[in-house]
Amino acid sequence: MRKSISVKGLSHRHPVPNACRIGNMVFSGAVHGVSPITHELPSGMADQSANVFANMLAIIEAAGGSVEDIIKVEIYLRDSSDRNAVNEEWLRMFPDPQSRPARHVRPLPPDSPSLVQSEFIAVVEDVA
């Protein structure tokens, strides 16, 4: 059975959940760099990156998992050469080089208000 995952403060403007879980699989929608407290998008890459990873953590935990369950992350960047802040957050969230998810970087449209976004896939242990 499919279950929608919505995190308070991270809801979309549209009737779309933050993620969806079916069985032990979790698929996120777009994870934005907005603050879950102020609901605003900071102007800088470092702040947006920090929020993206914090929001990713909040979503996977709401789905019943942890960062250890994330197996693939898509990073979307407005400027593909601007990866330093993303890499800092990546290393903070996934410090063990022997246990990191796969990652791919894709472009955001040049007129996007976001500098960075992500999506992820996770396999969560079923707790019976």
Side-chain angles (χ1 to χ4, degrees):
M1 178 158 89
R2 180 178 57 218
K3 179 182 178 191
S4 296
I5 308 298
S6 295
V7 176
K8 185 177 180 180
L10 299 181
S11 62
H12 292 276
R13 295 175 296 156
H14 306 290
V16 179
N18 299 114
C20 182
R21 180 173 175 167
I22 190 163
N24 65 346
M25 299 291 300
V26 178
F27 296 85
S28 79
V31 181
H32 300 276
V34 298
S35 165
I37 297 165
T38 66
H39 309 285
E40 294 183 10
L41 184 66
S43 60
M45 181 62 151
D47 290 337
Q48 285 190 32
S49 293
N51 285 348
V52 163
F53 282 84
N55 295 342
M56 193 182 328
L57 176 61
I59 294 166
I60 189 61
E61 288 178 346
S66 73
V67 296
E68 293 299 316
D69 299 316
I70 298 172
I71 60 170
K72 173 85 186 261
V73 177
E74 297 274 347
I75 301 289
Y76 296 85
L77 296 173
R78 195 164 69 185
D79 178 354
S80 65
S81 68
D82 194 7
R83 297 180 192 209
N84 290 340
V86 169
N87 287 337
E88 286 178 24
E89 296 300 328
W90 178 264
L91 292 173
R92 195 170 286 122
M93 183 171 275
F94 308 110
D96 182 357
Q98 301 303 311
S99 180
R100 290 187 181 132
R103 181 175 110 175
H104 187 69
V105 176
R106 298 179 182 270
L108 278 171
D111 61 343
S112 170
S114 297
L115 301 174
V116 59
Q117 294 178 13
S118 74
E119 294 179 2
F120 68 85
I121 299 170
V123 178
V124 176
E125 287 288 323
D126 281 326
V127 179

